[in-house]
mmCIF file of all heavy atoms in Angstrom:
data_model
loop_
_atom_site.group_PDB
_atom_site.id
_atom_site.type_symbol
_atom_site.label_atom_id
_atom_site.label_comp_id
_atom_site.label_asym_id
_atom_site.label_seq_id
_atom_site.Cartn_x
_atom_site.Cartn_y
_atom_site.Cartn_z
ATOM 1 N N MET A 691 -66.509 -104.042 310.975
ATOM 2 C CA MET A 691 -66.474 -103.445 309.647
ATOM 3 C C MET A 691 -66.313 -101.932 309.732
ATOM 4 O O MET A 691 -66.744 -101.304 310.703
ATOM 5 C CB MET A 691 -67.775 -103.733 308.878
ATOM 6 C CG MET A 691 -67.998 -105.168 308.502
ATOM 7 S SD MET A 691 -69.506 -105.329 307.492
ATOM 8 C CE MET A 691 -69.546 -107.107 307.264
ATOM 9 N N ILE A 692 -65.718 -101.377 308.695
ATOM 10 C CA ILE A 692 -65.676 -99.939 308.468
ATOM 11 C C ILE A 692 -66.466 -99.669 307.190
ATOM 12 O O ILE A 692 -66.293 -100.361 306.182
ATOM 13 C CB ILE A 692 -64.237 -99.432 308.295
ATOM 14 C CG1 ILE A 692 -63.346 -99.852 309.460
ATOM 15 C CG2 ILE A 692 -64.204 -97.921 308.144
ATOM 16 C CD1 ILE A 692 -61.870 -99.575 309.235
ATOM 17 N N GLY A 693 -67.339 -98.670 307.229
ATOM 18 C CA GLY A 693 -68.055 -98.252 306.024
ATOM 19 C C GLY A 693 -69.415 -98.877 305.842
ATOM 20 O O GLY A 693 -70.143 -98.519 304.911
ATOM 21 N N ARG A 694 -69.815 -99.794 306.717
ATOM 22 C CA ARG A 694 -71.123 -100.440 306.598
ATOM 23 C C ARG A 694 -71.728 -100.636 307.967
ATOM 24 O O ARG A 694 -71.054 -101.095 308.884
ATOM 25 C CB ARG A 694 -70.991 -101.787 305.898
ATOM 26 C CG ARG A 694 -72.303 -102.540 305.734
ATOM 27 C CD ARG A 694 -72.082 -103.822 304.938
ATOM 28 N NE ARG A 694 -73.305 -104.582 304.795
ATOM 29 C CZ ARG A 694 -73.398 -105.726 304.115
ATOM 30 N NH1 ARG A 694 -72.328 -106.213 303.510
ATOM 31 N NH2 ARG A 694 -74.532 -106.373 304.019
ATOM 32 N N ASP A 695 -73.004 -100.280 308.112
ATOM 33 C CA ASP A 695 -73.722 -100.458 309.371
ATOM 34 C C ASP A 695 -74.380 -101.827 309.366
ATOM 35 O O ASP A 695 -75.295 -102.086 308.587
ATOM 36 C CB ASP A 695 -74.772 -99.357 309.533
ATOM 37 C CG ASP A 695 -75.402 -99.354 310.916
ATOM 38 O OD1 ASP A 695 -75.108 -100.280 311.700
ATOM 39 O OD2 ASP A 695 -76.177 -98.432 311.210
ATOM 40 N N GLN A 696 -73.914 -102.721 310.234
ATOM 41 C CA GLN A 696 -74.489 -104.062 310.304
ATOM 42 C C GLN A 696 -75.750 -104.105 311.149
ATOM 43 O O GLN A 696 -76.453 -105.108 311.172
ATOM 44 C CB GLN A 696 -73.469 -105.037 310.884
ATOM 45 C CG GLN A 696 -72.184 -105.108 310.084
ATOM 46 C CD GLN A 696 -71.149 -105.962 310.774
ATOM 47 O OE1 GLN A 696 -71.192 -107.191 310.719
ATOM 48 N NE2 GLN A 696 -70.202 -105.320 311.440
ATOM 49 N N GLY A 697 -76.023 -103.029 311.893
ATOM 50 C CA GLY A 697 -77.218 -102.969 312.721
ATOM 51 C C GLY A 697 -78.376 -102.374 311.945
ATOM 52 O O GLY A 697 -78.541 -102.584 310.755
ATOM 53 N N ALA A 698 -79.185 -101.600 312.646
ATOM 54 C CA ALA A 698 -80.326 -100.915 312.027
ATOM 55 C C ALA A 698 -81.174 -101.896 311.229
ATOM 56 O O ALA A 698 -81.496 -101.682 310.066
ATOM 57 C CB ALA A 698 -79.834 -99.778 311.135
ATOM 58 N N GLN A 699 -81.556 -103.009 311.877
ATOM 59 C CA GLN A 699 -82.251 -104.077 311.167
ATOM 60 C C GLN A 699 -83.612 -103.653 310.625
ATOM 61 O O GLN A 699 -84.104 -104.227 309.650
ATOM 62 C CB GLN A 699 -82.427 -105.286 312.108
ATOM 63 C CG GLN A 699 -81.119 -105.889 312.587
ATOM 64 C CD GLN A 699 -80.257 -106.408 311.454
ATOM 65 O OE1 GLN A 699 -80.764 -106.858 310.433
ATOM 66 N NE2 GLN A 699 -78.944 -106.322 311.616
ATOM 67 N N ASN A 700 -84.240 -102.652 311.257
ATOM 68 C CA ASN A 700 -85.560 -102.217 310.808
ATOM 69 C C ASN A 700 -85.505 -101.243 309.647
ATOM 70 O O ASN A 700 -86.530 -100.812 309.135
ATOM 71 C CB ASN A 700 -86.331 -101.587 311.973
ATOM 72 C CG ASN A 700 -86.612 -102.587 313.085
ATOM 73 O OD1 ASN A 700 -86.830 -103.762 312.809
ATOM 74 N ND2 ASN A 700 -86.603 -102.126 314.324
ATOM 75 N N MET A 701 -84.306 -100.843 309.246
ATOM 76 C CA MET A 701 -84.161 -99.897 308.134
ATOM 77 C C MET A 701 -83.968 -100.641 306.815
ATOM 78 O O MET A 701 -83.404 -101.739 306.781
ATOM 79 C CB MET A 701 -82.953 -98.985 308.360
ATOM 80 C CG MET A 701 -83.082 -98.026 309.504
ATOM 81 S SD MET A 701 -81.628 -96.920 309.561
ATOM 82 C CE MET A 701 -82.042 -95.930 310.994
ATOM 83 N N SER A 702 -84.422 -100.029 305.749
ATOM 84 C CA SER A 702 -84.121 -100.567 304.426
ATOM 85 C C SER A 702 -82.658 -100.300 304.114
ATOM 86 O O SER A 702 -82.005 -99.458 304.747
ATOM 87 C CB SER A 702 -85.000 -99.896 303.370
ATOM 88 O OG SER A 702 -84.645 -98.528 303.235
ATOM 89 N N ASP A 703 -82.122 -101.011 303.120
ATOM 90 C CA ASP A 703 -80.729 -100.789 302.725
ATOM 91 C C ASP A 703 -80.492 -99.339 302.341
ATOM 92 O O ASP A 703 -79.425 -98.777 302.596
ATOM 93 C CB ASP A 703 -80.362 -101.702 301.550
ATOM 94 C CG ASP A 703 -80.073 -103.126 302.006
ATOM 95 O OD1 ASP A 703 -79.760 -103.307 303.196
ATOM 96 O OD2 ASP A 703 -80.167 -104.046 301.185
ATOM 97 N N LYS A 704 -81.489 -98.709 301.723
ATOM 98 C CA LYS A 704 -81.335 -97.322 301.288
ATOM 99 C C LYS A 704 -81.226 -96.373 302.465
ATOM 100 O O LYS A 704 -80.551 -95.351 302.414
ATOM 101 C CB LYS A 704 -82.508 -96.935 300.397
ATOM 102 C CG LYS A 704 -82.351 -95.580 299.715
ATOM 103 C CD LYS A 704 -83.478 -95.319 298.739
ATOM 104 C CE LYS A 704 -83.298 -93.972 298.037
ATOM 105 N NZ LYS A 704 -84.392 -93.718 297.065
ATOM 106 N N GLN A 705 -81.903 -96.701 303.593
ATOM 107 C CA GLN A 705 -81.910 -95.827 304.757
ATOM 108 C C GLN A 705 -80.698 -96.015 305.660
ATOM 109 O O GLN A 705 -80.379 -95.139 306.454
ATOM 110 C CB GLN A 705 -83.179 -96.085 305.589
ATOM 111 C CG GLN A 705 -84.477 -95.674 304.904
ATOM 112 C CD GLN A 705 -85.682 -96.117 305.719
ATOM 113 O OE1 GLN A 705 -85.746 -97.242 306.217
ATOM 114 N NE2 GLN A 705 -86.637 -95.218 305.866
ATOM 115 N N LYS A 706 -80.021 -97.151 305.557
ATOM 116 C CA LYS A 706 -78.931 -97.442 306.489
ATOM 117 C C LYS A 706 -77.786 -96.460 306.313
ATOM 118 O O LYS A 706 -77.450 -96.075 305.196
ATOM 119 C CB LYS A 706 -78.426 -98.875 306.282
ATOM 120 C CG LYS A 706 -79.349 -99.933 306.867
ATOM 121 C CD LYS A 706 -78.700 -101.304 306.827
ATOM 122 C CE LYS A 706 -79.587 -102.342 307.480
ATOM 123 N NZ LYS A 706 -78.952 -103.681 307.504
ATOM 124 N N PRO A 707 -77.181 -96.049 307.443
ATOM 125 C CA PRO A 707 -76.046 -95.120 307.358
ATOM 126 C C PRO A 707 -74.886 -95.719 306.573
ATOM 127 O O PRO A 707 -74.592 -96.905 306.683
ATOM 128 C CB PRO A 707 -75.656 -94.899 308.828
ATOM 129 C CG PRO A 707 -76.852 -95.289 309.613
ATOM 130 C CD PRO A 707 -77.526 -96.374 308.827
ATOM 131 N N ARG A 708 -74.245 -94.897 305.765
ATOM 132 C CA ARG A 708 -73.082 -95.315 305.001
ATOM 133 C C ARG A 708 -71.914 -94.390 305.360
ATOM 134 O O ARG A 708 -72.026 -93.536 306.235
ATOM 135 C CB ARG A 708 -73.367 -95.225 303.496
ATOM 136 C CG ARG A 708 -74.655 -95.916 303.086
ATOM 137 C CD ARG A 708 -74.409 -97.313 302.567
ATOM 138 N NE ARG A 708 -75.646 -97.882 302.069
ATOM 139 C CZ ARG A 708 -76.217 -98.972 302.551
ATOM 140 N NH1 ARG A 708 -75.656 -99.617 303.547
ATOM 141 N NH2 ARG A 708 -77.336 -99.441 302.048
ATOM 142 N N PHE A 709 -70.836 -94.547 304.640
ATOM 143 C CA PHE A 709 -69.687 -93.680 304.862
ATOM 144 C C PHE A 709 -69.104 -93.283 303.519
ATOM 145 O O PHE A 709 -68.830 -94.144 302.677
ATOM 146 C CB PHE A 709 -68.626 -94.390 305.707
ATOM 147 C CG PHE A 709 -67.452 -93.516 306.041
ATOM 148 C CD1 PHE A 709 -67.480 -92.697 307.150
ATOM 149 C CD2 PHE A 709 -66.328 -93.486 305.228
ATOM 150 C CE1 PHE A 709 -66.405 -91.868 307.454
ATOM 151 C CE2 PHE A 709 -65.254 -92.670 305.513
ATOM 152 C CZ PHE A 709 -65.294 -91.856 306.635
ATOM 153 N N VAL A 710 -68.932 -91.973 303.310
ATOM 154 C CA VAL A 710 -68.240 -91.450 302.130
ATOM 155 C C VAL A 710 -67.157 -90.516 302.638
ATOM 156 O O VAL A 710 -67.446 -89.527 303.322
ATOM 157 C CB VAL A 710 -69.192 -90.706 301.180
ATOM 158 C CG1 VAL A 710 -68.420 -90.158 299.971
ATOM 159 C CG2 VAL A 710 -70.316 -91.616 300.706
ATOM 160 N N GLY A 711 -65.925 -90.827 302.360
ATOM 161 C CA GLY A 711 -64.814 -90.026 302.857
ATOM 162 C C GLY A 711 -63.594 -90.883 303.099
ATOM 163 O O GLY A 711 -63.374 -91.882 302.403
ATOM 164 N N GLU A 712 -62.799 -90.521 304.097
ATOM 165 C CA GLU A 712 -61.568 -91.249 304.387
ATOM 166 C C GLU A 712 -61.460 -91.564 305.878
ATOM 167 O O GLU A 712 -61.863 -90.762 306.723
ATOM 168 C CB GLU A 712 -60.342 -90.428 303.949
ATOM 169 C CG GLU A 712 -60.241 -90.258 302.442
ATOM 170 C CD GLU A 712 -58.978 -89.565 301.994
ATOM 171 O OE1 GLU A 712 -58.298 -88.927 302.833
ATOM 172 O OE2 GLU A 712 -58.664 -89.657 300.790
ATOM 173 N N ILE A 713 -60.923 -92.730 306.157
ATOM 174 C CA ILE A 713 -60.644 -93.169 307.531
ATOM 175 C C ILE A 713 -59.186 -93.593 307.603
ATOM 176 O O ILE A 713 -58.669 -94.257 306.694
ATOM 177 C CB ILE A 713 -61.549 -94.336 307.947
ATOM 178 C CG1 ILE A 713 -63.003 -93.869 308.090
ATOM 179 C CG2 ILE A 713 -61.077 -94.951 309.257
ATOM 180 C CD1 ILE A 713 -63.960 -94.951 308.536
ATOM 181 N N THR A 714 -58.534 -93.215 308.690
ATOM 182 C CA THR A 714 -57.156 -93.650 308.924
ATOM 183 C C THR A 714 -56.911 -93.735 310.426
ATOM 184 O O THR A 714 -57.732 -93.308 311.248
ATOM 185 C CB THR A 714 -56.159 -92.676 308.257
ATOM 186 O OG1 THR A 714 -54.844 -93.228 308.339
ATOM 187 C CG2 THR A 714 -56.166 -91.306 308.909
ATOM 188 N N ASP A 715 -55.787 -94.302 310.777
ATOM 189 C CA ASP A 715 -55.309 -94.358 312.171
ATOM 190 C C ASP A 715 -56.368 -94.881 313.135
ATOM 191 O O ASP A 715 -56.640 -94.283 314.186
ATOM 192 C CB ASP A 715 -54.838 -92.963 312.623
ATOM 193 C CG ASP A 715 -53.624 -92.482 311.849
ATOM 194 O OD1 ASP A 715 -52.973 -93.319 311.200
ATOM 195 O OD2 ASP A 715 -53.349 -91.268 311.868
ATOM 196 N N LEU A 716 -56.962 -96.031 312.797
ATOM 197 C CA LEU A 716 -57.931 -96.662 313.698
ATOM 198 C C LEU A 716 -57.178 -97.572 314.671
ATOM 199 O O LEU A 716 -56.430 -98.459 314.255
ATOM 200 C CB LEU A 716 -58.961 -97.458 312.901
ATOM 201 C CG LEU A 716 -60.125 -98.047 313.714
ATOM 202 C CD1 LEU A 716 -61.398 -98.077 312.876
ATOM 203 C CD2 LEU A 716 -59.821 -99.449 314.250
ATOM 204 N N TYR A 717 -57.401 -97.344 315.957
ATOM 205 C CA TYR A 717 -56.780 -98.130 317.022
ATOM 206 C C TYR A 717 -57.844 -98.479 318.055
ATOM 207 O O TYR A 717 -58.768 -97.696 318.301
ATOM 208 C CB TYR A 717 -55.661 -97.342 317.715
ATOM 209 C CG TYR A 717 -54.495 -97.000 316.814
ATOM 210 C CD1 TYR A 717 -54.498 -95.825 316.064
ATOM 211 C CD2 TYR A 717 -53.392 -97.852 316.715
ATOM 212 C CE1 TYR A 717 -53.433 -95.506 315.227
ATOM 213 C CE2 TYR A 717 -52.321 -97.542 315.884
ATOM 214 C CZ TYR A 717 -52.354 -96.366 315.143
ATOM 215 O OH TYR A 717 -51.295 -96.069 314.320
ATOM 216 N N MET A 718 -57.694 -99.649 318.671
ATOM 217 C CA MET A 718 -58.615 -100.037 319.745
ATOM 218 C C MET A 718 -57.854 -100.802 320.810
ATOM 219 O O MET A 718 -56.998 -101.638 320.501
ATOM 220 C CB MET A 718 -59.756 -100.896 319.199
ATOM 221 C CG MET A 718 -60.866 -101.173 320.196
ATOM 222 S SD MET A 718 -62.266 -102.034 319.421
ATOM 223 C CE MET A 718 -63.454 -102.012 320.774
ATOM 224 N N TRP A 719 -58.190 -100.517 322.082
ATOM 225 C CA TRP A 719 -57.577 -101.151 323.244
ATOM 226 C C TRP A 719 -58.674 -101.772 324.102
ATOM 227 O O TRP A 719 -59.821 -101.302 324.084
ATOM 228 C CB TRP A 719 -56.810 -100.129 324.084
ATOM 229 C CG TRP A 719 -55.681 -99.428 323.383
ATOM 230 C CD1 TRP A 719 -54.349 -99.728 323.462
ATOM 231 C CD2 TRP A 719 -55.766 -98.287 322.504
ATOM 232 N NE1 TRP A 719 -53.608 -98.858 322.697
ATOM 233 C CE2 TRP A 719 -54.443 -97.958 322.092
ATOM 234 C CE3 TRP A 719 -56.819 -97.501 322.019
ATOM 235 C CZ2 TRP A 719 -54.162 -96.897 321.238
ATOM 236 C CZ3 TRP A 719 -56.545 -96.445 321.164
ATOM 237 C CH2 TRP A 719 -55.228 -96.150 320.778
ATOM 238 N N ASP A 720 -58.319 -102.771 324.892
ATOM 239 C CA ASP A 720 -59.301 -103.408 325.772
ATOM 240 C C ASP A 720 -59.305 -102.788 327.168
ATOM 241 O O ASP A 720 -59.592 -103.448 328.162
ATOM 242 C CB ASP A 720 -59.064 -104.922 325.852
ATOM 243 C CG ASP A 720 -57.715 -105.297 326.456
ATOM 244 O OD1 ASP A 720 -56.898 -104.384 326.727
ATOM 245 O OD2 ASP A 720 -57.471 -106.507 326.650
ATOM 246 N N TYR A 721 -59.001 -101.508 327.239
ATOM 247 C CA TYR A 721 -59.043 -100.747 328.487
ATOM 248 C C TYR A 721 -59.250 -99.279 328.139
ATOM 249 O O TYR A 721 -59.152 -98.883 326.970
ATOM 250 C CB TYR A 721 -57.749 -100.936 329.296
ATOM 251 C CG TYR A 721 -56.480 -100.574 328.551
ATOM 252 C CD1 TYR A 721 -55.933 -99.286 328.633
ATOM 253 C CD2 TYR A 721 -55.803 -101.528 327.780
ATOM 254 C CE1 TYR A 721 -54.761 -98.951 327.954
ATOM 255 C CE2 TYR A 721 -54.636 -101.201 327.107
ATOM 256 C CZ TYR A 721 -54.130 -99.916 327.193
ATOM 257 O OH TYR A 721 -52.978 -99.596 326.529
ATOM 258 N N VAL A 722 -59.532 -98.472 329.153
ATOM 259 C CA VAL A 722 -59.739 -97.035 328.945
ATOM 260 C C VAL A 722 -58.390 -96.322 329.015
ATOM 261 O O VAL A 722 -57.675 -96.413 330.019
ATOM 262 C CB VAL A 722 -60.710 -96.468 329.995
ATOM 263 C CG1 VAL A 722 -60.811 -94.949 329.871
ATOM 264 C CG2 VAL A 722 -62.089 -97.100 329.848
ATOM 265 N N LEU A 723 -58.043 -95.651 327.948
ATOM 266 C CA LEU A 723 -56.801 -94.885 327.926
ATOM 267 C C LEU A 723 -56.868 -93.705 328.880
ATOM 268 O O LEU A 723 -57.927 -93.096 329.073
ATOM 269 C CB LEU A 723 -56.540 -94.346 326.518
ATOM 270 C CG LEU A 723 -56.158 -95.337 325.414
ATOM 271 C CD1 LEU A 723 -55.991 -94.585 324.102
ATOM 272 C CD2 LEU A 723 -54.882 -96.096 325.750
ATOM 273 N N LYS A 724 -55.742 -93.366 329.461
ATOM 274 C CA LYS A 724 -55.638 -92.142 330.246
ATOM 275 C C LYS A 724 -55.727 -90.935 329.308
ATOM 276 O O LYS A 724 -55.431 -91.023 328.117
ATOM 277 C CB LYS A 724 -54.303 -92.104 331.007
ATOM 278 C CG LYS A 724 -54.082 -93.301 331.922
ATOM 279 C CD LYS A 724 -55.067 -93.321 333.076
ATOM 280 C CE LYS A 724 -54.746 -94.438 334.068
ATOM 281 N NZ LYS A 724 -55.747 -94.523 335.160
ATOM 282 N N SER A 725 -56.101 -89.794 329.871
ATOM 283 C CA SER A 725 -56.287 -88.595 329.048
ATOM 284 C C SER A 725 -55.000 -88.196 328.336
ATOM 285 O O SER A 725 -55.032 -87.783 327.170
ATOM 286 C CB SER A 725 -56.805 -87.435 329.900
ATOM 287 O OG SER A 725 -55.902 -87.143 330.947
#
């Protein structure tokens, strides 16, 4: 997920980290990219 913390089980919903802003260009690879 983007924008919601599924962890932090001991926190109340009010305390859990959220996201306000913009996200773009998300990429993920199953290896470490070279510099």
